[in-house]
Amino acid sequence: MRFWIATLFFVSVTFISNAQRLQASDSTNWNSLNEGHELTFKIYALDSIVPKFTLEGVNGYAMHFDSSGNFYWRPSFDLVDRLEKQKEVSVIAQAEWKDGKRVRKTLNFTVLHQNRPPVVEDLPVFYVKQSSANRYQIPSEYVMDPDGDPLIFKSIQSQLPEGVVLSSLG
């Protein structure tokens, strides 16, 4: 899990020559994360008047951002595939004060693919007949890859019973 303290690394609202602006630092690599890992931070205003914060362009990414500046996101495992390797996601953070002034800043996140291991359930009991050729296909509902990667079965011949052969298709 990744947690960052916003006052050190992230977004702050500052006043420079009577103009408000949002600043974001990309130097600490805070905005790069793996699928399934969470990113949390809080946006603070240096002004004594606290603005209302909003986030635009979340487009179904399941980002949570409340009006007081608390951000939470755990990118889903289906956001980036194994061939794509990474995906850029951009959103716009906005601070709005009661007097109508607004400040907007584009936040860019890099989401990296996280490969998950295949899931293998206990196989159902099956019977074989001695001294005859027996065939058994491992049902696909017992072996799956949560990322949709292709599965290839490899056997360790020394650990299989005598005469058993396992094909790469199961």
Side-chain angles (χ1 to χ4, degrees):
M1 288 194 255
R2 274 169 88 157
F3 296 95
W4 294 98
I5 299 174
T7 55
L8 298 177
F9 302 112
F10 190 59
V11 178
S12 63
V13 178
T14 58
F15 292 92
I16 298 179
S17 66
N18 295 331
Q20 298 141 336
R21 69 180 192 160
L22 292 174
Q23 295 178 326
S25 170
D26 292 332
S27 62
T28 58
N29 213 20
W30 64 269
N31 57 347
S32 179
L33 67 156
N34 289 328
E35 292 174 307
H37 292 184
E38 63 183 44
L39 174 65
T40 61
F41 57 83
K42 180 172 176 60
I43 297 177
Y44 293 97
L46 299 179
D47 188 11
S48 60
I49 301 171
V50 179
K52 175 184 172 188
F53 294 102
T54 57
L55 197 63
E56 295 176 13
V58 293
N59 300 332
Y61 290 124
M63 293 177 184
H64 302 281
F65 189 64
D66 64 24
S67 61
S68 60
N70 295 305
F71 179 91
Y72 171 83
W73 186 33
R74 183 185 301 254
S76 64
F77 283 102
D78 61 351
L79 188 60
V80 185
D81 64 31
R82 66 184 175 89
L83 302 175
E84 193 177 16
K85 302 283 188 222
Q86 70 180 33
K87 183 173 187 165
E88 302 295 323
V89 175
S90 296
V91 295
I92 299 172
Q94 177 175 287
E96 183 174 359
W97 284 264
K98 289 183 180 181
D99 63 2
K101 293 183 182 175
R102 293 184 200 170
V103 179
R104 298 168 58 96
K105 175 69 178 178
T106 301
L107 305 175
N108 298 309
F109 300 102
T110 302
V111 181
L112 306 170
H113 175 64
Q114 181 70 40
N115 191 28
R116 296 175 288 172
V119 176
V120 180
E121 301 290 333
D122 288 335
L123 296 177
V125 175
F126 61 94
Y127 298 95
V128 295
K129 187 174 181 182
Q130 189 174 355
S131 301
S132 64
N134 295 281
R135 193 170 184 86
Y136 178 76
Q137 176 74 38
I138 297 173
S140 61
E141 61 265 15
Y142 292 99
V143 181
M144 55 136 338
D145 187 87
D147 297 316
D149 296 337
L151 294 172
I152 297 175
F153 296 88
K154 291 188 176 183
S155 62
I156 301 171
Q157 290 298 326
S158 63
Q159 295 181 358
L160 290 176
E162 184 179 329
V164 172
V165 176
L166 180 66
S167 75
S168 63
L169 298 176

